[in-house]
């Protein structure tokens, strides 16, 4: 029988593989453009055990594949989570179902904009609920379990798939089809939603997030536009010049190795800075920091430390709602 003292969890549906129904049990690849979709209520109905862990209140925000999730959806979702927390002191936490393609981006946005210590847990699936060996039901159950757990509070937005609890800041998708796709590189994951039903943590993120964030969506109608320019051998400044011409508010360079790129590409970045467009240097290698070398500092770059270029972009979009001062932008880049 369900525990009458169970805690309340808000479960937000946004779509993704976790919601798609394919043609048959071996449809692992075509479901997202040939199948139909479950609503968040239908997804929860497949996992009645979740109602024993928490009083689950569902809310459908959107129902799309996550390649169709845009920054305005991040704002809507974060605002809904903030509203639920503000109006319900009894809520234990929130869980979000999401496509895996852009899951880490939405999770990091929530990490910076949900202004509450209660957990917001994002999950998805690599195999649709209609497929053999689906991870949809387990991941949904684990997301509710982690959102309901007292010990999840104060760790920022979390990503839970494959029984692993990851920090939204560090996690990235590393494989196109494997269920163990979400990894946090050298940082590792934070804990397990494990086989005995326990939520077990071993550490917490050090960077600022959620309740300790300075970013506020109130009054923000439109997020600043920040784009990513990807470097490679022989890359020049064509894309960078086009971005400046298009009127972007900031640029993140996904540089080579420790953040440098071919000189024609760097010359394009210098033209952007001269045109008052702030430039963040990140690295495309996956782990490790971009540090303030003498050259980078003299040339006016902001560095991303060990933030993935996609996360550096999101942080810049929010930072630019507060300031255009390069020293302040650099401070924020290092603190979150
Ligand atoms: N196409 C899917 C998406 O919505 C992929 C997934 O969810 O795994 O991102």
């Amino acid at each position: 029988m369900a525990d009458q003292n169970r805690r309340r969890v808000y479960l937000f549906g946004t779509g993704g593989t976790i919601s798609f129904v394919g043609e048959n049990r071996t449809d692992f690849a075509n479901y997202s453009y040939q199948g139909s979709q479950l609503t968040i209520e239908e997804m929860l109905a497949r996992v009645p055990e979740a109602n024993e862990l928490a009083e689950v209140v569902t809310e459908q925000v959107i129902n799309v594949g996550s390649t169709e999730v845009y920054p305005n959806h991040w704002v809507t979702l974060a605002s809904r989570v903030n509203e639920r927390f503000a109006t319900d002191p009894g809520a234990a936490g929130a869980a979000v179902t999401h496509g895996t393609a852009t899951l880490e981006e939405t999770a990091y946005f929530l990490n910076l904009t949900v202004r509450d210590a209660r957990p917001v847990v994002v999950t998805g699936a690599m195999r649709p609920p209609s497929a053999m060996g689906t991870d949809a039901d387990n991941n949904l159950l684990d997301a509710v379990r982690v959102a309901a757990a007292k010990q999840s509070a104060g760790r920022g937005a979390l990503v839970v798939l494959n029984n692993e609890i990851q920090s939204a800041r560090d996690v990235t998708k590393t494989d196109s089809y494997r269920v163990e796709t979400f990894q946090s590189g050298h940082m590792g994951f934070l804990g397990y939603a494990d086989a005995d039903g326990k939520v077990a943590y071993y550490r917490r993120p050090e960077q600022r997030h959620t309740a300790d964030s300075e970013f506020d969506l109130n009054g923000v109608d439109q997020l600043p536009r920040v784009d990513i320019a990807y470097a490679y051998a022989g890359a020049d400044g064509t894309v960078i010049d086009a971005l400046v011409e298009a009127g972007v508010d900031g640029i993140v360079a996904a540089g080579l190795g420790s953040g440098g790129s071919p000189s024609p590409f760097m010359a394009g970045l210098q033209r952007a800075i001269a045109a008052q467009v702030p430039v963040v240097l990140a690295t495309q290698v996956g782990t490790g920091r971009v540090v303030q070398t003498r050259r980078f500092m003299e040339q006016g770059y902001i560095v991303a430390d060990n933030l993935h270029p996609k996360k550096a972009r999101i942080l810049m979009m929010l930072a630019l709602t507060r300031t255009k001062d390069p020293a302040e932008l650099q401070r924020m880049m290092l603190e979150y």
Side-chain angles (χ1 to χ4, degrees):
M1 203 178 119
D3 172 4
Q4 294 311 304
N5 296 319
R6 73 213 153 121
R7 310 177 80 218
R8 189 158 42 254
V9 167
Y10 288 95
L11 176 64
F12 297 90
T14 71
T17 291
I18 194 166
S19 69
F20 276 103
V21 179
E23 280 180 346
N24 50 49
R25 291 194 341 128
T26 57
D27 179 0
F28 296 106
N30 296 308
Y31 55 84
S32 66
Y33 45 94
Q34 286 186 347
S36 57
Q37 264 181 291
L38 301 176
T39 63
I40 191 65
E41 289 80 14
E42 291 167 330
M43 289 159 64
L44 180 64
R46 289 171 56 95
V47 192
E49 297 82 356
N51 294 302
E52 291 166 22
L53 301 172
E55 178 196 342
V56 183
V57 179
T58 57
E59 182 170 330
Q60 192 82 53
V61 182
I62 45 175
N63 209 0
V64 297
S66 77
T67 51
E68 298 310 311
V69 170
Y70 296 104
N72 63 309
H73 297 132
W74 300 340
V75 175
T76 304
L77 178 60
S79 302
R80 287 303 298 142
V81 176
N82 277 318
E83 275 163 34
R84 289 294 201 178
F85 282 162
T87 54
D88 185 358
V96 179
T97 58
H98 200 285
T100 59
T102 62
L103 187 151
E104 71 210 60
E105 296 180 62
T106 298
Y108 188 54
F109 188 83
L110 295 171
N111 192 58
L112 299 176
T113 56
V114 171
R115 305 291 297 277
D116 201 290
R118 285 171 283 185
V120 50
V121 183
V122 190
T123 193
M126 294 303 290
R127 299 175 186 150
S130 49
M132 244 181 243
T134 181
D135 51 339
D137 299 337
N138 266 302
N139 288 346
L140 179 62
L141 185 70
D142 282 350
V144 171
R145 186 196 307 286
V146 172
K150 287 199 174 75
Q151 63 272 34
S152 298
R155 296 177 198 268
L158 301 166
V159 170
V160 175
L161 287 92
N162 205 34
N163 300 138
E164 294 166 353
I165 309 170
Q166 319 259 359
S167 161
R169 182 188 185 273
D170 299 324
V171 73
T172 191
K173 187 174 179 179
T174 62
D175 191 286
S176 48
Y177 284 106
R178 310 284 82 79
V179 294
E180 69 275 25
T181 185
F182 282 95
Q183 305 285 335
S184 296
H186 293 153
M187 300 301 131
F189 55 80
L190 305 179
Y192 306 101
D194 221 348
D196 55 358
K198 292 231 166 78
V199 174
Y201 287 100
Y202 299 90
R203 55 192 197 82
R204 48 179 75 238
E206 291 288 332
Q207 284 74 24
R208 290 175 68 176
H209 56 72
T210 55
D212 188 32
S213 169
E214 69 201 271
F215 304 116
D216 189 351
L217 293 177
N218 284 320
V220 175
D221 294 332
Q222 176 101 38
L223 288 165
R225 176 167 180 156
V226 179
D227 284 86
I228 300 172
Y230 197 91
Y232 41 85
D236 66 14
T238 307
V239 166
I240 298 156
D241 291 339
L243 291 176
V244 173
E245 180 68 22
V248 295
D249 301 299
I251 294 175
V252 173
L256 306 169
S258 55
S261 295
S263 47
F265 186 93
M266 297 301 275
L269 296 178
Q270 286 294 290
R271 289 193 290 279
I273 292 172
Q276 310 296 322
V277 177
V279 174
V280 179
L281 298 183
T283 176
Q284 58 186 249
V285 299
T287 55
R289 300 168 60 216
V290 174
V291 302
Q292 255 317 353
T293 64
R294 235 179 352 256
R295 177 167 75 111
F296 291 165
M297 200 173 318
E298 281 165 11
Q299 296 182 342
Y301 294 111
I302 297 159
V303 293
D305 198 85
N306 70 346
L307 265 184
H308 189 289
K310 287 190 282 189
K311 309 266 179 80
R313 169 187 176 243
I314 292 167
L315 179 51
M316 267 302 268
M317 290 165 84
L318 287 165
L320 286 166
T321 65
R322 314 281 296 174
T323 183
K324 289 195 162 38
D325 174 18
E328 270 293 277
L329 293 170
Q330 179 65 82
R331 174 189 66 76
M332 292 172 185
M333 202 53 61
L334 299 178
E335 285 185 1
Y336 289 89

